[in-house]
Amino acid sequence: FCRAIALPLSRKLGVRDKERPKAQPIPILETFYSTRCKNPDEGELISLAEQCDLTVRKVERWFRRRRNADRPSLSKKFCEACWRFTFYIIAFFTGLAVLYDKPWLWDHRECWTGYPQQPLQPSLFWYYLLELSFYWSLVFTLPFDVKRKDFKEQIVHHAATIFLISFSYCANYIRIGTLVMVIHDASDCFLEPTKIFNYMKWKKTCDSLFMIFSAVFLISRLVVFPYTVLYNTYYYSMEIFQPFFGYYFVNALLIILQLLHVFWSCLIIHMVYKFFCQGTMDKDMRSDTEESDKDEERENIREKEKNGIVYFSNITSNNYIQRNGAEPLKNRTHLTNGHVKER
């Protein structure tokens, strides 16, 4: 999908990868980068500079460019967002088509009617298989996908989701499992197109979709999910049967998902706050920002300012200050009455 559809689509929509300056092939630095550390401290930079007969600034620049080379390109991010958007939109409408005539979608107590002797319908089986295969694919492609700052949280989320889908299928928690999946897909349908328009530089469309996504995410994950799923599994199930191992295991996995929802909700609320303060969507706090050589220039200026080396730009070599556009003092003649005569 990414090669045949998403990549040509990105080119037609004007998504272009930024040209990155390449790091020179230096074996000592490359060995250190690949085996020890990608972001060395000051002492390690000095040692590497002596070994390579380079200045510390050049070694810093080399590591900065080398880190940028490992970061995913804009087209790769676009392709990944397109693929996930395609799946989420298909999965969400598949879930609605499967559940719209099911009684437990409207009356949550029906999730436990007749449990555990609840027949598995073919539509529910294929819906489960669709979702489980997708999350397994996310695990298999973790080393190749775009890595973000919440990489560890993503691993926990994928593991909890796979365990939850698999165990709910084995324990015949099919009805509650379908509710969990359709609730999660609802907000993800808006997240991926937000990324797509962000990569396309369509700021207004991106901002609008981001606000819609934020509202859907916060409502579905912080209101609907606790009421429809957590309260259902924790209280309603007790009316049908006494707790057993499956009761505790499923509720533990659902609570882990809810904690992840709270974590991501805090990030989203912070971005929404930035949006109202700045008038535009702030950068994704989960993304790793690309470094540029201009960062070094900014650092140099800050260091000079701290050390008192940088002076006002209007101080000249003749040690006079021109204020408000006035001429230098050497071009003026002072009169005896204190007035100044212009030459």
Side-chain angles (χ1 to χ4, degrees):
F1 178 90
C2 291
R3 294 178 182 177
I5 299 177
L7 189 58
L9 181 63
S10 67
R11 293 169 181 169
K12 290 184 178 180
L13 294 177
V15 178
R16 296 289 183 269
D17 293 332
K18 182 180 179 180
E19 294 186 4
R20 299 169 176 172
K22 296 182 180 180
Q24 298 177 356
I26 303 177
I28 296 177
L29 299 182
E30 184 65 35
T31 302
F32 185 92
Y33 180 87
S34 57
T35 58
R36 293 189 58 183
C37 179
K38 296 182 178 181
N39 196 359
D41 56 26
E42 186 177 356
E44 292 171 333
L45 288 173
I46 296 174
S47 176
L48 291 170
E50 293 176 352
Q51 296 178 37
C52 301
D53 195 20
L54 298 172
T55 63
V56 177
R57 292 299 181 187
K58 289 184 178 180
V59 175
E60 281 183 330
R61 184 182 298 112
W62 188 94
F63 275 95
R64 182 163 50 249
R65 293 179 176 180
R66 186 63 181 83
R67 288 192 296 267
N68 284 336
D70 286 346
R71 289 187 171 92
S73 61
L74 196 63
S75 59
K76 182 179 180 180
K77 294 180 181 179
F78 181 90
C79 292
E80 180 184 287
C82 281
W83 151 240
R84 294 192 179 188
F85 170 67
T86 303
F87 169 79
Y88 286 133
I89 200 72
I90 292 174
F92 178 66
F93 284 103
T94 299
L96 292 181
V98 169
L99 296 176
Y100 82 96
D101 59 344
K102 302 300 187 294
W104 62 87
L105 179 63
W106 314 106
D107 185 3
H108 307 319
R109 292 178 182 269
E110 289 293 327
C111 290
W112 312 108
T113 301
Y115 183 84
Q117 303 298 327
Q118 294 175 341
L120 176 61
Q121 302 177 10
S123 60
L124 298 178
F125 168 78
W126 288 108
Y127 181 46
Y128 250 71
L129 193 63
L130 174 69
E131 294 279 356
L132 183 61
S133 61
F134 174 72
Y135 283 102
W136 268 116
S137 72
L138 293 183
V139 173
F140 293 145
T141 58
L142 272 176
F144 315 103
D145 289 341
V146 177
K147 291 186 179 180
R148 294 180 169 85
K149 294 179 181 179
D150 60 346
F151 180 74
K152 296 179 180 179
E153 289 81 3
Q154 287 285 348
I155 294 178
V156 174
H157 176 269
H158 297 340
T161 303
I162 290 173
F163 275 114
L164 188 60
I165 295 176
S166 303
F167 185 80
S168 64
Y169 180 84
C170 297
N172 208 21
Y173 284 122
I174 301 294
R175 297 183 178 182
I176 199 68
T178 55
L179 294 179
V180 174
M181 292 186 293
V182 76
I183 289 173
H184 279 71
D185 292 337
S187 60
D188 292 331
C189 291
F190 295 98
L191 173 61
E192 301 305 328
T194 302
K195 297 179 182 178
I196 292 174
F197 285 109
N198 183 39
Y199 302 146
M200 293 169 56
K201 308 300 181 183
W202 290 23
K203 296 299 297 180
K204 293 184 178 180
T205 306
C206 174
D207 293 345
S208 301
L209 283 174
F210 172 72
M211 297 307 297
I212 297 174
F213 159 73
S214 301
V216 175
F217 184 94
L218 296 176
I219 293 174
S220 63
R221 304 294 179 92
L222 299 183
V223 179
V224 178
F225 183 81
Y227 173 74
T228 304
V229 177
L230 291 180
Y231 189 83
N232 194 357
T233 57
Y234 191 79
Y235 288 105
Y236 288 168
S237 61
M238 296 282 288
E239 300 177 358
I240 307 299
F241 56 88
Q242 293 300 315
F244 67 109
F245 171 76
Y247 171 85
Y248 298 108
F249 187 72
V250 168
N251 278 285
L253 293 176
L254 291 175
I255 290 175
I256 291 175
L257 287 182
Q258 185 59 31
L259 292 176
L260 292 173
H261 296 165
V262 174
F263 169 75
W264 285 315
S265 297
C266 292
L267 297 181
I268 292 173
I269 292 173
H270 182 75
M271 294 179 68
V272 171
Y273 174 77
K274 289 287 187 180
F275 176 84
F276 285 109
C277 292
Q278 300 177 359
T280 184
M281 188 183 72
D282 193 15
K283 64 181 181 181
D284 188 359
M285 298 178 64
R286 300 165 55 221
S287 298
D288 190 12
T289 56
E290 183 172 342
E291 302 168 275
S292 65
D293 292 338
K294 294 181 179 179
D295 296 336
E296 181 181 357
E297 299 175 2
R298 297 191 190 100
E299 293 175 1
N300 292 336
I301 294 175
R302 292 194 190 104
E303 290 179 1
K304 292 178 181 179
E305 288 176 347
K306 290 180 181 179
N307 297 329
I309 298 176
V310 176
Y311 298 91
F312 295 105
S313 60
N314 55 1
I315 296 181
T316 65
S317 59
N318 293 326
N319 295 325
Y320 62 83
I321 300 177
Q322 301 179 16
R323 290 189 177 92
N324 301 324
E327 293 187 10
L329 296 177
K330 67 178 183 179
N331 293 330
R332 301 183 178 184
T333 301
H334 290 271
L335 302 179
T336 56
N337 58 3
H339 295 281
V340 177
K341 178 181 178 182
E342 300 291 344
R343 288 187 181 179

